[in-house]
Amino acid sequence: MLDALPRLREASRDAWIQQAIALGYLSEERPRGCWLRPDRSQVINGDATVVRPPSDQTEEFTRDEKTGEMRRRRVDPDAGTQIEGGDRAVHGKKIVSFSVRLPKRAHSWIILNADGARHRSPEEDPDREEEASTALRLAHGILDRAPGVIAAVFDTAWRGTHRARLVARGIVVYTPQHDGISPRPLNKYRYDHCIHDVYAAAGRSCERHISVDGQTIYMPLPVRELPVRPGVNGYRFYHAVEIPCRNGPHIELIPVYETKEDRSLDPRTKRPKFNRCEHLRQIPPNTDLGDRLKGFRQDSESTNCTLDYSHWDKRLPAYGAPGALLIYLGFAWMINSIALGTVGEPHR
């Protein structure tokens, strides 16, 4: 079956998406949530997991400590040591997948798309993409076939350039904010009797203040609405922010999509002037709405846990990345069959 793996993966993806739509997921016909609070069944959740090979051997030949005999070991050519869960080292191969589920409904997970990802250098592993690019391709594959997707959730592997491409397709993209991103000036709003200096900080628009002791303080501006407008080059999302003022609040629209001006090259650096989607999120992190979407992705860890415990010693019985992906496709068919049997029962 490895010879037919690419066709099998694509056929599985198409079948899974059609099954999900038939059960009411990702549909344009059913009532949908709003942009700031999308319905659970219209949010695709992406995650990467490291699957362990049958053996952790990294050297093809090892010497027996007692006899001195050279022994040959079977080594997985695609496995390597990776950090998972923040600080846990795991020897294995990486698989990226996207899934969706219903709110408050057990066993409703449906895996929509999956593929292997590279974790080593392009020179060592030239035939596959790294995690962020793989996840972006999988998300586009779902959007091409499912019209009712409102939001996509992934981890910090996605940066601003990845998010900008999906935002242009008209969906909300949520990832946690990276550490170490310095505040960037957005605009200085001048009114009749006041001036407000607005910066991008911590993934959202903030007003910059200087305290009496000279400290810089960035005060988050409330987001009252997320207006969306279709355009020639893709959808345009804005934050309708409220700027508090002693003269009365001011409402301003701040783009949270990649504008034409952002893409123009800086004459000094020869790079785009502003990576807006890196500094601004459609749904700001560390808010109730952002934490809600963050919880959706964390919930997908249960599927990875089920995958591990479905095999002896939490090891997939296959050497090589193609073999691991083949087993994962079979696992996904099993998970989706459970959803078809439970969620689909009332529809019959």
Side-chain angles (χ1 to χ4, degrees), residues 12-83:
S12 297
R13 172 202 60 201
D14 295 345
W16 296 339
I17 294 175
Q18 288 302 317
Q19 290 172 348
I21 293 176
L23 292 179
Y25 303 71
L26 310 177
S27 173
E28 289 186 310
E29 298 178 358
R30 63 173 296 162
R32 309 197 311 176
C34 64
W35 291 108
L36 290 172
R37 191 177 178 85
D39 185 77
R40 184 70 180 269
S41 66
Q42 254 102 22
V43 180
I44 58 174
N45 308 283
D47 195 21
T49 185
V50 180
V51 295
R52 300 173 64 191
S55 170
D56 287 338
Q57 291 290 336
T58 58
E59 300 292 336
E60 188 176 0
F61 293 95
T62 59
R63 186 180 300 276
D64 190 291
E65 295 181 357
K66 295 182 178 179
T67 65
E69 177 187 3
M70 294 297 294
R71 303 185 62 180
R72 185 169 186 173
R73 305 289 187 179
R74 189 169 183 184
V75 178
D76 193 317
D78 295 322
T81 301
Q82 305 172 71
I83 301 301

Side-chain angles (χ1 to χ4, degrees), residues 40 45-48 109 153-156 174 176 292-301:
R40 184 70 180 269
N45 308 283
D47 195 21
W109 272 112
V153 183
F154 202 65
D155 58 22
T156 53
Y174 181 84
R292 175 177 179 264
L293 291 179
K294 183 178 179 180
F296 289 1
R297 198 201 71 81
Q298 292 172 338
D299 193 22
S300 65
E301 293 291 344

Side-chain angles (χ1 to χ4, degrees), residues 59-136:
E59 300 292 336
E60 188 176 0
F61 293 95
T62 59
R63 186 180 300 276
D64 190 291
E65 295 181 357
K66 295 182 178 179
T67 65
E69 177 187 3
M70 294 297 294
R71 303 185 62 180
R72 185 169 186 173
R73 305 289 187 179
R74 189 169 183 184
V75 178
D76 193 317
D78 295 322
T81 301
Q82 305 172 71
I83 301 301
E84 191 177 49
D87 57 357
R88 184 165 55 93
V90 180
H91 183 77
K93 297 153 290 192
K94 184 169 289 186
I95 293 178
V96 182
S97 64
F98 274 86
S99 57
V100 65
R101 64 164 294 177
L102 294 177
K104 301 179 182 179
R105 185 68 182 268
H107 307 297
S108 62
W109 272 112
I110 289 186
I111 297 173
L112 301 170
N113 208 352
D115 205 351
R118 182 181 64 226
H119 60 86
R120 296 183 294 170
S121 66
E123 292 76 19
E124 295 178 313
D125 192 7
D127 297 330
R128 292 199 302 280
E129 300 169 302
E130 45 83 27
E131 177 185 341
S133 298
T134 300
L136 184 63

Side-chain angles (χ1 to χ4, degrees), residues 10-320:
E10 293 176 359
S12 297
R13 172 202 60 201
D14 295 345
W16 296 339
I17 294 175
Q18 288 302 317
Q19 290 172 348
I21 293 176
L23 292 179
Y25 303 71
L26 310 177
S27 173
E28 289 186 310
E29 298 178 358
R30 63 173 296 162
R32 309 197 311 176
C34 64
W35 291 108
L36 290 172
R37 191 177 178 85
D39 185 77
R40 184 70 180 269
S41 66
Q42 254 102 22
V43 180
I44 58 174
N45 308 283
D47 195 21
T49 185
V50 180
V51 295
R52 300 173 64 191
S55 170
D56 287 338
Q57 291 290 336
T58 58
E59 300 292 336
E60 188 176 0
F61 293 95
T62 59
R63 186 180 300 276
D64 190 291
E65 295 181 357
K66 295 182 178 179
T67 65
E69 177 187 3
M70 294 297 294
R71 303 185 62 180
R72 185 169 186 173
R73 305 289 187 179
R74 189 169 183 184
V75 178
D76 193 317
D78 295 322
T81 301
Q82 305 172 71
I83 301 301
E84 191 177 49
D87 57 357
R88 184 165 55 93
V90 180
H91 183 77
K93 297 153 290 192
K94 184 169 289 186
I95 293 178
V96 182
S97 64
F98 274 86
S99 57
V100 65
R101 64 164 294 177
L102 294 177
K104 301 179 182 179
R105 185 68 182 268
H107 307 297
S108 62
W109 272 112
I110 289 186
I111 297 173
L112 301 170
N113 208 352
D115 205 351
R118 182 181 64 226
H119 60 86
R120 296 183 294 170
S121 66
E123 292 76 19
E124 295 178 313
D125 192 7
D127 297 330
R128 292 199 302 280
E129 300 169 302
E130 45 83 27
E131 177 185 341
S133 298
T134 300
L136 184 63
R137 173 170 52 83
L138 297 180
H140 279 296
I142 297 172
L143 295 177
D144 291 339
R145 295 162 178 81
V149 177
I150 291 182
V153 183
F154 202 65
D155 58 22
T156 53
W158 271 354
R159 304 302 297 254
T161 54
H162 303 105
R163 291 188 290 268
R165 302 177 197 176
L166 294 173
V167 170
R169 297 199 61 173
I171 68 170
V172 171
V173 184
Y174 181 84
T175 67
Q177 181 73 351
H178 286 84
D179 297 329
I181 299 180
S182 302
R184 288 284 302 270
L186 289 177
N187 202 349
K188 184 172 288 188
Y189 294 97
R190 302 177 183 271
Y191 304 99
D192 292 338
H193 304 287
C194 57
I195 298 176
H196 299 272
D197 205 1
V198 177
Y199 274 63
R204 62 186 304 171
S205 302
C206 301
E207 185 174 5
R208 180 174 177 263
H209 296 278
I210 305 298
S211 65
V212 293
D213 56 355
Q215 298 294 322
T216 302
I217 301 174
Y218 297 97
M219 299 296 295
L221 299 178
V223 179
R224 299 307 183 192
E225 195 177 352
L226 185 66
V228 184
R229 299 172 182 172
V232 177
N233 297 319
Y235 284 81
R236 298 171 294 175
F237 287 80
Y238 299 85
H239 275 174
V241 300
E242 179 181 300
I243 304 177
C245 181
R246 64 181 183 274
N247 301 314
H250 308 285
I251 302 296
E252 293 288 348
L253 286 181
I254 297 179
V256 289
Y257 70 98
E258 188 180 64
T259 67
K260 182 178 180 180
E261 183 179 0
D262 297 336
R263 293 190 295 267
S264 62
L265 298 182
D266 189 311
R268 293 178 303 166
T269 63
K270 307 300 181 182
R271 296 181 178 180
K273 289 184 177 180
F274 186 36
N275 189 351
R276 184 176 296 269
C277 291
E278 179 78 355
H279 292 268
L280 293 175
R281 298 289 191 275
Q282 294 156 294
I283 296 181
N286 301 319
T287 61
D288 291 342
L289 296 174
D291 290 343
R292 175 177 179 264
L293 291 179
K294 183 178 179 180
F296 289 1
R297 198 201 71 81
Q298 292 172 338
D299 193 22
S300 65
E301 293 291 344
S302 61
T303 305
N304 297 334
C305 184
T306 303
L307 172 68
D308 292 338
Y309 282 98
S310 297
H311 300 89
W312 180 83
D313 198 27
K314 302 180 184 179
R315 298 179 182 271
L316 266 63
Y319 286 92

